[in-house]
Amino acid sequence: MIVAVDADSLDTAAADHLVYALVDAVDQPVVALTHMVSGDDRPHVAVSLTSTADLAEPIRAMVADRNVGLAVTRPGASEPELAGPSRLVRGAYVAAVEAALGTAGRVVRWPGHEQAHGVLPAAELRVRCGIDHLEAIGGVPIADDTLIDTLDFLRPLRRDGRLILQVQPSAGDLLIPFELQHQQKCCSDH
């Protein structure tokens, strides 16, 4: 089952906050992603949660008093259940489709995320954390014994149904995740 919510989050930090609240509300193992929604006057971020459990009712209850778009896809259903303002329903639908196809999204929670601690060889990181592929920014080669400092925070991308963790060079011949936990907004002061 996939439940996608578009709460018109303006950035990934706001979307992450929503994801954490939804994950707490459902109390089930999930794959949770954020999805960029474009195509209207203001790009924003929607979220999706995928699980084998029925997530629809706890999420509906949690967002009942909010102005959100909701898309629920159930296994075997011919069409998703949609609710909310049309602009936000569109964003939720986009998120649900991307989650179902595995074509896009920034992964916030997944089985294995809790193992992302410390410095790990690339091969061990992939196995422990459920990462399918490591991709170095700038084409830096990554061997199985290349050391990666997780900084206790990973945000892989979903591409072609795989979890891709982008990494970058750091001091001491280490690689670190490209997306850091505390991002500084680019160009926010001008």
Side-chain angles (χ1 to χ4, degrees), residues 168-190:
Q168 62 186 336
S170 183
D173 292 327
L174 292 173
L175 297 177
I176 61 171
F178 179 70
E179 182 176 340
L180 303 176
Q181 184 171 11
H182 302 290
Q183 297 286 321
Q184 185 166 353
K185 292 184 180 183
C186 177
C187 305
S188 62
D189 62 340
H190 53 274

Side-chain angles (χ1 to χ4, degrees), residues 13-175:
D16 283 358
H17 183 73
L18 176 59
V19 165
Y20 297 138
L22 294 173
V23 167
D24 287 346
V26 298
D27 193 29
Q28 295 288 330
V30 298
V31 175
L33 296 97
T34 62
H35 305 266
M36 291 304 300
V37 178
S38 58
D40 59 11
D41 60 338
R42 193 183 70 188
H44 59 282
V45 187
V47 305
S48 68
L49 277 71
T50 303
S51 177
T52 56
D54 189 342
L55 308 174
E57 294 318 309
I59 291 177
R60 280 184 208 276
M62 189 196 160
V63 300
D65 61 340
R66 298 182 186 188
N67 188 31
V68 302
L70 192 65
V72 177
T73 61
R74 297 177 189 276
S78 60
E79 293 184 20
E81 302 166 28
L82 305 171
S86 61
R87 175 178 166 276
L88 298 177
V89 166
R90 180 190 162 283
Y93 182 76
V94 166
V97 169
E98 288 180 354
L101 296 176
T103 55
R106 179 179 153 274
V107 187
V108 178
R109 284 284 184 265
W110 71 97
H113 77 273
E114 66 281 349
Q115 299 299 317
H117 298 289
V119 177
L120 301 169
E124 186 177 345
L125 174 77
R126 286 192 304 268
V127 170
R128 260 190 180 188
C129 301
I131 301 296
D132 296 311
H133 181 71
L134 296 167
E135 180 179 278
I137 303 299
V140 174
I142 304 174
D144 283 347
D145 62 348
T146 301
L147 294 178
I148 300 170
D149 187 346
T150 66
L151 304 174
D152 299 335
F153 181 85
L154 301 180
R155 282 292 178 268
L157 304 173
R158 189 115 176 258
R159 191 183 315 140
D160 299 325
R162 299 171 58 195
L163 291 184
I164 312 293
L165 180 64
Q166 294 180 318
V167 294
Q168 62 186 336
S170 183
D173 292 327
L174 292 173
L175 297 177

